[in-house]
Amino acid sequence: MKIVRTLALALAALVCACSPAKQEAETPRADGDKVVRFATDWRAQAEHGGFYQALATGEYAKRGLDVRILQGGPGVNVPQLLAAGQVEMGMGSNSFIVLNLAQENVPVKAVAAFMQKDPQVLIAHPDQGVESIADLKGRPILLSDASVNAFWVWLKAKYGFTDDQVRKYAFSPAPFLADKRIAQQGYVTSEPYTLEKEGGIQPKVMLLADAGYPSYATMVLATDELIAEDPETVKAFVEASAAGWRDYLYGDPRPGDALILKDNPEMTQDVLDQAREKLKSYGIVDGGDTAAIGRMTDARWAEFFQMAATEGVYPPDMDYKKAYTLQFAQ
């Protein structure tokens, strides 16, 4: 597979492009609090719930941080915002993003991973004899360009899928609903619910992580400069975010949901509710190889890099450890 060599293409591995919205979610701050602008990878949603919960319940403020969440959207990418100094921290959607930055020698690292399981799924119709991912071999699959450069690499290596199966995914359920043989990508927290509501079907949903896909998701990115010069701010942000995620999943999520709905008026409470339940039931935030919220391990990063390097995405001698630090989330 062609090695990604430019930052723009590196960021194509994002499931969604990232851009800041005009509004910021923030709470009143005390004089002297450290301002931290945090850019997310898409519009406000339950998949960002822990960060909004930490903001709404004062977890950031009690640690001396004035956090402003800039919700993402199409058009601008988070690492470029970091490199330009427009935000202090940002969100990395998957492990390809972080390794691509390391390959390009971009001075940005992952400092925590708030989804131990990547929420990527493949979705099939319920009456087509598809019981596992392996059953999709030879079938057409709707994928975005970003996904072809990301988890498709793993699918080809593990299941022998071939590029002639790929069909263009434009983030609409219509092609899937029109053709029972076709499968499509999605997030376990999003597309299955849309298909249930709009198509009246109970789709077959297969979480890649439960089949061994080793990517982290929803990582917090920080510049090397911030890590070196102000590690206490990074530490405080990671700790507060972990507390926010714990509270959002297992406490009262209404404070976080209120900020999400304020930032993203197109979001609805029923979508938030079902997404939160799926984050819990699938163990997206605190499942996988560790129950510690935000934690990363050398072994997991080594596994991911070995998979990707074997498929030619990265040179085998690349220093992949430049992509992350375990200083803040062990």
Side-chain angles (χ1 to χ4, degrees):
M1 177 176 175
K2 183 178 179 181
I3 297 174
V4 181
R5 293 194 178 279
T6 65
L7 179 58
L9 288 178
L11 301 177
L14 276 166
V15 173
C16 300
C18 309
S19 72
K22 291 182 179 179
Q23 74 256 38
E24 301 174 353
E26 58 181 297
T27 55
R29 69 183 179 95
D31 291 340
D33 281 358
K34 173 72 175 183
V35 174
V36 176
R37 295 163 295 178
F38 177 63
T40 70
D41 62 353
W42 197 243
R43 298 184 181 97
Q45 54 191 321
E47 292 86 340
H48 306 152
F51 304 109
Y52 280 96
Q53 186 80 354
L55 182 61
T57 59
E59 291 292 345
Y60 294 125
K62 73 174 60 172
R63 292 169 175 82
L65 303 182
D66 170 22
V67 171
R68 293 106 182 264
I69 299 177
L70 286 73
Q71 63 171 336
V76 179
N77 64 64
V78 171
Q80 283 184 348
L81 294 173
L82 283 164
Q86 295 181 32
V87 297
E88 283 69 39
M89 293 184 178
M91 189 181 295
S93 297
N94 59 58
S95 296
F96 280 105
I97 291 296
V98 183
L99 288 180
N100 288 341
L101 294 174
Q103 185 185 17
E104 293 299 316
N105 294 312
V106 179
V108 171
K109 284 181 171 60
V111 298
F114 286 102
M115 289 188 179
Q116 294 296 307
K117 294 182 178 182
D118 192 311
Q120 284 287 344
V121 294
L122 290 179
I123 305 168
H125 283 266
D127 53 356
Q128 294 297 300
V130 176
E131 298 300 327
S132 69
I133 294 174
D135 295 330
L136 293 174
K137 186 174 183 179
R139 292 173 179 259
I141 304 175
L142 292 161
L143 298 172
S144 68
D145 291 341
S147 298
V148 171
N149 289 322
F151 65 81
W152 183 243
V153 175
W154 175 80
L155 287 168
K156 290 195 295 182
K158 184 174 178 68
Y159 296 103
F161 291 178
T162 54
D163 288 336
D164 60 1
Q165 294 179 242
V166 176
R167 304 292 185 272
K168 181 75 170 181
Y169 181 51
F171 298 93
S172 166
F176 176 85
L177 293 173
D179 185 350
K180 287 189 174 184
R181 180 173 166 76
I182 207 164
Q184 73 160 63
Q185 70 173 66
Y187 262 22
V188 69
T189 48
S190 180
E191 280 82 356
Y193 185 64
T194 299
L195 291 169
E196 290 173 16
K197 289 181 66 176
E198 297 187 13
I201 64 171
Q202 293 289 326
K204 178 67 178 180
V205 179
M206 296 158 283
L207 186 70
L208 303 191
D210 284 348
Y213 182 52
S215 179
Y216 288 118
T218 309
M219 283 163 282
V220 172
L221 308 181
T223 63
D224 289 356
E225 181 180 12
L226 181 64
I227 292 168
E229 295 183 359
D230 195 357
E232 288 305 312
T233 288
V234 179
K235 181 175 184 288
F237 185 88
V238 170
E239 289 180 351
S241 298
W245 271 110
R246 191 174 297 108
D247 192 37
Y248 186 70
L249 293 178
Y250 302 111
D252 179 2
R254 286 178 295 180
D257 283 348
L259 286 185
I260 291 171
L261 293 168
K262 180 181 178 181
D263 258 13
N264 183 8
E266 295 180 2
M267 182 54 63
T268 59
Q269 190 63 53
D270 64 310
V271 173
L272 291 175
D273 291 343
Q274 65 83 33
R276 177 172 167 269
E277 287 307 309
K278 286 177 180 174
L279 289 172
K280 293 166 61 177
S281 64
Y282 281 89
I284 299 298
V285 173
D286 55 0
D289 58 354
T290 175
I293 295 177
R295 187 185 182 198
M296 302 185 297
T297 67
D298 283 323
R300 179 82 169 268
W301 277 108
E303 178 187 3
F304 187 89
F305 174 74
Q306 183 61 40
M307 175 275 296
T310 298
E311 294 306 306
V313 181
Y314 307 111
D317 60 349
M318 174 181 146
D319 182 9
Y320 68 91
K321 290 189 176 182
K322 294 189 303 182
Y324 67 95
T325 176
L326 303 183
Q327 180 178 351
F328 308 102
Q330 298 187 45

PDB file of all heavy atoms in Angstrom, residues 41 127 180 192 194 202 243 261 265 267 286-287 291 315:
ATOM      1  N   ASP A  41     -13.069  16.230  16.998  1.00  0.00           N
ATOM      2  CA  ASP A  41     -12.959  15.733  15.628  1.00  0.00           C
ATOM      3  C   ASP A  41     -14.266  15.783  14.845  1.00  0.00           C
ATOM      4  O   ASP A  41     -14.315  15.380  13.694  1.00  0.00           O
ATOM      5  CB  ASP A  41     -12.392  14.307  15.614  1.00  0.00           C
ATOM      6  CG  ASP A  41     -13.282  13.310  16.350  1.00  0.00           C
ATOM      7  OD1 ASP A  41     -14.277  13.725  16.987  1.00  0.00           O
ATOM      8  OD2 ASP A  41     -12.977  12.105  16.286  1.00  0.00           O
ATOM      9  N   ASP A 127     -30.628 -10.438   6.833  1.00  0.00           N
ATOM     10  CA  ASP A 127     -31.130 -11.678   6.213  1.00  0.00           C
ATOM     11  C   ASP A 127     -30.260 -12.127   5.041  1.00  0.00           C
ATOM     12  O   ASP A 127     -30.744 -12.745   4.093  1.00  0.00           O
ATOM     13  CB  ASP A 127     -32.569 -11.471   5.734  1.00  0.00           C
ATOM     14  CG  ASP A 127     -32.722 -10.258   4.827  1.00  0.00           C
ATOM     15  OD1 ASP A 127     -31.717  -9.526   4.639  1.00  0.00           O
ATOM     16  OD2 ASP A 127     -33.825 -10.034   4.304  1.00  0.00           O
ATOM     17  N   LYS A 180     -29.544  -5.094  -0.620  1.00  0.00           N
ATOM     18  CA  LYS A 180     -29.378  -5.962   0.541  1.00  0.00           C
ATOM     19  C   LYS A 180     -28.036  -6.682   0.562  1.00  0.00           C
ATOM     20  O   LYS A 180     -27.583  -7.133   1.620  1.00  0.00           O
ATOM     21  CB  LYS A 180     -30.510  -6.987   0.601  1.00  0.00           C
ATOM     22  CG  LYS A 180     -31.845  -6.418   1.024  1.00  0.00           C
ATOM     23  CD  LYS A 180     -32.841  -7.527   1.279  1.00  0.00           C
ATOM     24  CE  LYS A 180     -34.139  -6.977   1.849  1.00  0.00           C
ATOM     25  NZ  LYS A 180     -35.082  -8.051   2.195  1.00  0.00           N
ATOM     26  N   PRO A 192     -25.933   2.454  12.964  1.00  0.00           N
ATOM     27  CA  PRO A 192     -26.954   1.427  13.200  1.00  0.00           C
ATOM     28  C   PRO A 192     -28.288   2.012  13.655  1.00  0.00           C
ATOM     29  O   PRO A 192     -29.354   1.560  13.219  1.00  0.00           O
ATOM     30  CB  PRO A 192     -26.320   0.539  14.278  1.00  0.00           C
ATOM     31  CG  PRO A 192     -24.853   0.682  14.042  1.00  0.00           C
ATOM     32  CD  PRO A 192     -24.672   2.124  13.662  1.00  0.00           C
ATOM     33  N   THR A 194     -29.402   5.049  13.005  1.00  0.00           N
ATOM     34  CA  THR A 194     -29.999   5.732  11.854  1.00  0.00           C
ATOM     35  C   THR A 194     -30.701   4.742  10.936  1.00  0.00           C
ATOM     36  O   THR A 194     -31.817   4.999  10.451  1.00  0.00           O
ATOM     37  CB  THR A 194     -28.911   6.488  11.063  1.00  0.00           C
ATOM     38  OG1 THR A 194     -28.315   7.476  11.910  1.00  0.00           O
ATOM     39  CG2 THR A 194     -29.496   7.153   9.828  1.00  0.00           C
ATOM     40  N   GLN A 202     -33.225  -4.128  11.594  1.00  0.00           N
ATOM     41  CA  GLN A 202     -32.265  -4.375  12.659  1.00  0.00           C
ATOM     42  C   GLN A 202     -30.991  -4.897  12.005  1.00  0.00           C
ATOM     43  O   GLN A 202     -30.840  -6.094  11.783  1.00  0.00           O
ATOM     44  CB  GLN A 202     -32.827  -5.398  13.657  1.00  0.00           C
ATOM     45  CG  GLN A 202     -34.014  -4.909  14.450  1.00  0.00           C
ATOM     46  CD  GLN A 202     -33.627  -3.856  15.463  1.00  0.00           C
ATOM     47  OE1 GLN A 202     -32.543  -3.900  16.029  1.00  0.00           O
ATOM     48  NE2 GLN A 202     -34.510  -2.887  15.689  1.00  0.00           N
ATOM     49  N   ALA A 243     -12.162  11.820  34.645  1.00  0.00           N
ATOM     50  CA  ALA A 243     -13.255  11.968  35.608  1.00  0.00           C
ATOM     51  C   ALA A 243     -14.569  12.295  34.902  1.00  0.00           C
ATOM     52  O   ALA A 243     -15.640  11.790  35.274  1.00  0.00           O
ATOM     53  CB  ALA A 243     -12.907  13.054  36.626  1.00  0.00           C
ATOM     54  N   LEU A 261     -25.972  19.729  23.356  1.00  0.00           N
ATOM     55  CA  LEU A 261     -27.143  20.216  22.628  1.00  0.00           C
ATOM     56  C   LEU A 261     -27.046  21.714  22.348  1.00  0.00           C
ATOM     57  O   LEU A 261     -27.544  22.195  21.324  1.00  0.00           O
ATOM     58  CB  LEU A 261     -28.408  19.901  23.420  1.00  0.00           C
ATOM     59  CG  LEU A 261     -28.743  18.414  23.547  1.00  0.00           C
ATOM     60  CD1 LEU A 261     -29.835  18.201  24.584  1.00  0.00           C
ATOM     61  CD2 LEU A 261     -29.178  17.837  22.200  1.00  0.00           C
ATOM     62  N   PRO A 265     -27.133  22.193  17.807  1.00  0.00           N
ATOM     63  CA  PRO A 265     -28.598  22.169  17.850  1.00  0.00           C
ATOM     64  C   PRO A 265     -29.218  21.066  16.983  1.00  0.00           C
ATOM     65  O   PRO A 265     -30.397  20.735  17.177  1.00  0.00           O
ATOM     66  CB  PRO A 265     -28.992  23.561  17.327  1.00  0.00           C
ATOM     67  CG  PRO A 265     -27.791  24.408  17.559  1.00  0.00           C
ATOM     68  CD  PRO A 265     -26.617  23.499  17.356  1.00  0.00           C
ATOM     69  N   MET A 267     -28.297  17.995  17.057  1.00  0.00           N
ATOM     70  CA  MET A 267     -28.301  16.776  17.859  1.00  0.00           C
ATOM     71  C   MET A 267     -29.625  16.657  18.610  1.00  0.00           C
ATOM     72  O   MET A 267     -30.271  17.663  18.921  1.00  0.00           O
ATOM     73  CB  MET A 267     -27.114  16.803  18.835  1.00  0.00           C
ATOM     74  CG  MET A 267     -26.976  15.571  19.707  1.00  0.00           C
ATOM     75  SD  MET A 267     -26.908  14.030  18.779  1.00  0.00           S
ATOM     76  CE  MET A 267     -25.379  14.282  17.853  1.00  0.00           C
ATOM     77  N   ASP A 286     -13.982   1.994  28.414  1.00  0.00           N
ATOM     78  CA  ASP A 286     -13.240   1.324  29.484  1.00  0.00           C
ATOM     79  C   ASP A 286     -13.154  -0.188  29.286  1.00  0.00           C
ATOM     80  O   ASP A 286     -12.994  -0.948  30.242  1.00  0.00           O
ATOM     81  CB  ASP A 286     -13.851   1.641  30.851  1.00  0.00           C
ATOM     82  CG  ASP A 286     -15.344   1.310  30.910  1.00  0.00           C
ATOM     83  OD1 ASP A 286     -15.894   0.838  29.901  1.00  0.00           O
ATOM     84  OD2 ASP A 286     -15.958   1.544  31.963  1.00  0.00           O
ATOM     85  N   GLY A 287     -13.209  -0.629  28.040  1.00  0.00           N
ATOM     86  CA  GLY A 287     -13.059  -2.049  27.748  1.00  0.00           C
ATOM     87  C   GLY A 287     -11.697  -2.336  27.154  1.00  0.00           C
ATOM     88  O   GLY A 287     -10.695  -1.737  27.520  1.00  0.00           O
ATOM     89  N   ALA A 291      -9.077  -1.539  31.875  1.00  0.00           N
ATOM     90  CA  ALA A 291     -10.292  -0.894  32.365  1.00  0.00           C
ATOM     91  C   ALA A 291     -10.023   0.533  32.818  1.00  0.00           C
ATOM     92  O   ALA A 291     -10.913   1.206  33.312  1.00  0.00           O
ATOM     93  CB  ALA A 291     -10.887  -1.701  33.521  1.00  0.00           C
ATOM     94  N   PRO A 315       7.401   2.417   7.099  1.00  0.00           N
ATOM     95  CA  PRO A 315       8.655   1.663   7.019  1.00  0.00           C
ATOM     96  C   PRO A 315       8.891   0.906   8.317  1.00  0.00           C
ATOM     97  O   PRO A 315       8.597   1.421   9.408  1.00  0.00           O
ATOM     98  CB  PRO A 315       9.717   2.747   6.794  1.00  0.00           C
ATOM     99  CG  PRO A 315       9.086   4.008   7.273  1.00  0.00           C
ATOM    100  CD  PRO A 315       7.618   3.877   7.037  1.00  0.00           C
TER     101      PRO A 315
END
